[in-house]
Amino acid sequence: MSDRTTVQDAELALLLEVTGTPKPGNVDRERDFADLRFEHFMAGAVGARPGLELAADGTRLGRAFERAVAGMADQSAGNTQFGALLLLAPLVAAASEGDLTPAGADRVGRATTVADAADFYRAFEHVDVAVDDPPEGMEPLDARRGSEAVPTLEARGLTLFDIMTQSADVDGIAAEWTGEFRRTFSAAESILADDGPVPDRASRVFVELLADEIDTFVVTRNGHDTAAAVQRRARAVLDGEADATELAEELVARDVNPGTTADIVAGALFVALERGLVV
Amino acid sequence: MSDRTTVQDAELALLLEVTGTPKPGNVDRERDFADLRFEHFMAGAVGARPGLELAADGTRLGRAFERAVAGMADQSAGNTQFGALLLLAPLVAAASEGDLTPAGADRVGRATTVADAADFYRAFEHVDVAVDDPPEGMEPLDARRGSEAVPTLEARGLTLFDIMTQSADVDGIAAEWTGEFRRTFSAAESILADDGPVPDRASRVFVELLADEIDTFVVTRNGHDTAAAVQRRARAVLDGEADATELAEELVARDVNPGTTADIVAGALFVALERGLVV
């Protein structure tokens, strides 16, 4: 068993995630976007670390997340791992409490407060993150408003878990928060049951996840039809009817980026490392 | 200017070093050896961090280095960044004292004690590192003896700087210690004066360093003639008469690994990051 700490495992998970290749549509060891490159993810992972330390130390979860995002954004490409950090924050907190289980992570999420929700909104001030337009009546809570949304949060008494609940049907990370992190823990078990180099396992589980459910980040940026097509293509890769590398080249060329699926792989790698995955 | 700490810059330097490609003969973003792969360098960088923290906190330098090596070795491939950590330890200590200059790093090295030398020998117990047979009269101080060498160190009153002095003509990292880290600081300035993505700059300065001086790790593992041939080939790349990627493929296929030159690139990246290099 490794001597790495929980925070080291979280940081390594972010690094291993971006290393796995092919991960169709994402920056990986073999592919960059023009202004979003591999090295930005490395700087993002290193920069996020102080925030992850706060999550492990029992600091308020929203504050830990906001600090992780601020550190992540300390490179020239903007958003690299916002969603992955939103997933890792409760997982790291649960692990540091000795309860890295679906129930343990769920408990951490449900314990969040209005202050955590305010921190979450402040995190959007550090980077541009692609988000959907809010549903009717929720305009004051558009994430792009940043801290301007805080008075509304306070007036309505909304916790970070409440915010996740409201977003769960349009955001795959929020759905993890409100669904006991089902896909994350399941993917971790797939990684552990697989064999071969860890980045290859990350690539395989990425394609499985992409085939399994629609990527909400693609829905947000490219629309539902594109996201559904990406899911079908991933299924064809799984069925041996399409090539993962070709799909990767095509999605990068079309700027179609299944980032939510990559975020879940990062969370799954963290859980797998904590459960003894050997690098 | 980045908000990264000195330790974050050191860790990021290790990650950026292995990302730069092509770096002929080394693991890089596009090349692995069979049992020494990219992900092992990531785990090595993350694992080294507690030791780098000690170096920044003013802990005895040898102890900080030994802890960094122990953490680095917490992955399945053995030695990844031993030489880079031997170079980074005094640089991190100098930086945390606010004096990351040739004179500052030199002062840190010269201040080492017999206890630091003992730690250095203990570090060899964590990993197999390719080293030369010791010169006549130095057999009791063969690095491969690990802590068995400590009584001899103590009897002879040898500090870590003394050990570096004895190795400086056969080891390029020891030569940095005893030569005011000349190549490291010079390469840092080259990186800062260059432009384009940081990993590309790392690749270019690697080839410049390889063309400039013989790689002592290649001498140790493959002999002087091979090392001299590698240097000539690197010069041909610089002169536009050979292709860096072809040289990279060939050296990896022949298991010729200019690791000392890569270590100096890692040190140079650290200095450049501390001096404002933007990722």
Side-chain angles (χ1 to χ4, degrees):
Chain A
M1 197 75 178
S2 165
D3 288 331
R4 280 187 301 271
T5 63
T6 293
V7 175
Q8 284 177 303
D9 276 344
E11 189 180 358
L12 183 55
L14 291 171
L15 295 169
L16 293 171
E17 185 281 312
V18 74
T19 302
T21 185
K23 290 206 328 301
N26 281 269
V27 172
D28 64 24
R29 187 169 167 192
E30 295 184 359
R31 264 160 289 273
D32 289 326
F33 288 96
D35 296 319
L36 181 66
R37 297 187 305 272
F38 194 81
E39 64 266 28
H40 300 129
F41 285 78
M42 300 212 156
V46 169
R49 185 180 167 117
L52 295 169
E53 292 273 10
L54 295 178
D57 290 348
T59 298
R60 188 176 76 218
L61 198 70
R63 170 76 180 161
F65 170 71
E66 183 272 332
R67 287 290 86 203
V69 170
M72 174 208 81
D74 192 1
Q75 33 77 27
S76 61
N79 183 25
T80 49
Q81 292 127 325
F82 188 96
L85 294 171
L86 185 57
L87 189 54
L88 282 171
L91 295 172
V92 166
S96 69
E97 293 171 11
D99 192 13
L100 184 57
T101 62
D106 183 65
R107 188 176 41 71
V108 168
R110 287 181 190 274
T112 57
T113 64
V114 177
D116 292 307
D119 295 322
F120 173 74
Y121 275 81
R122 285 186 198 104
F124 282 90
E125 298 188 348
H126 301 302
V127 279
D128 279 327
V129 180
V131 293
D132 272 321
D133 288 329
E136 201 173 313
M138 292 287 286
E139 292 83 1
L141 292 173
D142 186 335
R144 289 163 291 197
R145 295 174 63 89
S147 58
E148 287 177 29
V150 172
T152 307
L153 288 173
E154 291 174 347
R156 299 189 189 180
L158 295 169
T159 70
L160 180 51
F161 193 82
D162 293 334
I163 300 295
M164 294 293 115
T165 302
Q166 291 178 349
S167 307
D169 57 346
V170 297
D171 183 290
I173 303 301
E176 287 298 286
W177 269 64
T178 60
E180 290 203 335
F181 301 85
R182 179 184 59 80
R183 302 183 78 204
T184 302
F185 281 97
S186 170
E189 290 309 310
S190 293
I191 291 168
L192 287 165
D194 199 354
D195 49 27
V198 172
D200 295 349
R201 303 189 203 194
S203 165
R204 284 189 287 266
V205 81
F206 176 88
V207 175
E208 289 169 16
L209 287 163
L210 195 59
D212 182 50
E213 281 192 26
I214 210 158
D215 188 285
T216 54
F217 197 65
V218 177
V219 174
T220 298
R221 290 179 73 242
N222 312 89
H224 190 278
D225 288 354
T226 299
V230 167
Q231 183 182 10
R232 284 194 301 275
R233 297 286 299 278
R235 185 158 296 282
V237 170
L238 275 193
D239 293 344
E241 295 163 3
D243 180 70
T245 301
E246 280 175 28
L247 183 58
E249 300 293 346
E250 180 192 324
L251 294 185
V252 168
R254 291 170 55 201
D255 192 27
V256 173
N257 172 216
T260 301
T261 306
D263 296 337
I264 292 175
V265 172
L269 283 163
F270 168 69
V271 173
L273 288 169
E274 287 281 300
R275 293 183 174 179
L277 177 67
V278 173
V279 178
Chain B
M1 198 73 178
S2 165
D3 288 330
R4 281 188 303 271
T5 64
T6 293
V7 174
Q8 284 177 303
D9 276 344
E11 190 180 359
L12 183 55
L14 291 170
L15 295 168
L16 293 171
E17 185 281 311
V18 74
T19 302
T21 186
K23 291 205 328 300
N26 281 269
V27 171
D28 65 25
R29 187 170 168 191
E30 295 184 0
R31 264 159 290 274
D32 290 326
F33 288 96
D35 297 319
L36 181 66
R37 297 188 303 272
F38 193 81
E39 64 266 28
H40 299 128
F41 285 79
M42 300 212 156
V46 170
R49 185 178 166 117
L52 295 169
E53 293 272 11
L54 294 177
D57 291 348
T59 298
R60 189 174 76 218
L61 198 70
R63 171 74 180 161
F65 170 70
E66 183 272 333
R67 288 290 85 203
V69 169
M72 172 208 81
D74 192 0
Q75 33 77 25
S76 62
N79 183 26
T80 49
Q81 291 126 326
F82 189 97
L85 294 171
L86 185 57
L87 188 54
L88 283 172
L91 295 173
V92 166
S96 68
E97 293 171 12
D99 192 13
L100 183 57
T101 62
D106 183 66
R107 188 175 41 72
V108 167
R110 287 180 191 273
T112 58
T113 64
V114 176
D116 292 308
D119 294 322
F120 173 72
Y121 275 82
R122 285 186 197 102
F124 282 90
E125 299 187 348
H126 301 302
V127 279
D128 280 327
V129 180
V131 294
D132 273 321
D133 288 330
E136 201 172 311
M138 291 288 286
E139 292 83 0
L141 293 173
D142 186 336
R144 290 163 292 197
R145 295 174 64 90
S147 58
E148 286 177 30
V150 173
T152 306
L153 287 174
E154 290 173 347
R156 299 189 188 180
L158 295 169
T159 70
L160 180 50
F161 192 82
D162 293 333
I163 299 295
M164 293 294 116
T165 302
Q166 291 177 352
S167 306
D169 56 347
V170 295
D171 183 290
I173 303 303
E176 287 297 286
W177 270 64
T178 60
E180 289 202 337
F181 301 84
R182 178 183 61 79
R183 302 184 78 205
T184 302
F185 281 97
S186 169
E189 289 309 312
S190 293
I191 291 167
L192 287 165
D194 199 355
D195 49 28
V198 172
D200 296 349
R201 303 190 202 193
S203 165
R204 284 189 286 266
V205 81
F206 176 88
V207 175
E208 287 169 16
L209 287 163
L210 195 59
D212 181 51
E213 281 193 27
I214 208 157
D215 188 285
T216 55
F217 197 66
V218 177
V219 175
T220 299
R221 291 178 73 241
N222 311 90
H224 190 279
D225 288 355
T226 299
V230 167
Q231 184 183 7
R232 283 194 301 275
R233 297 287 298 280
R235 185 158 294 283
V237 170
L238 276 193
D239 294 344
E241 295 163 3
D243 180 70
T245 301
E246 280 175 27
L247 182 59
E249 299 293 346
E250 180 192 323
L251 294 185
V252 168
R254 291 169 57 199
D255 192 26
V256 173
N257 172 216
T260 300
T261 306
D263 296 337
I264 292 174
V265 172
L269 283 163
F270 168 70
V271 173
L273 288 168
E274 287 281 302
R275 292 183 175 181
L277 176 67
V278 173
V279 177

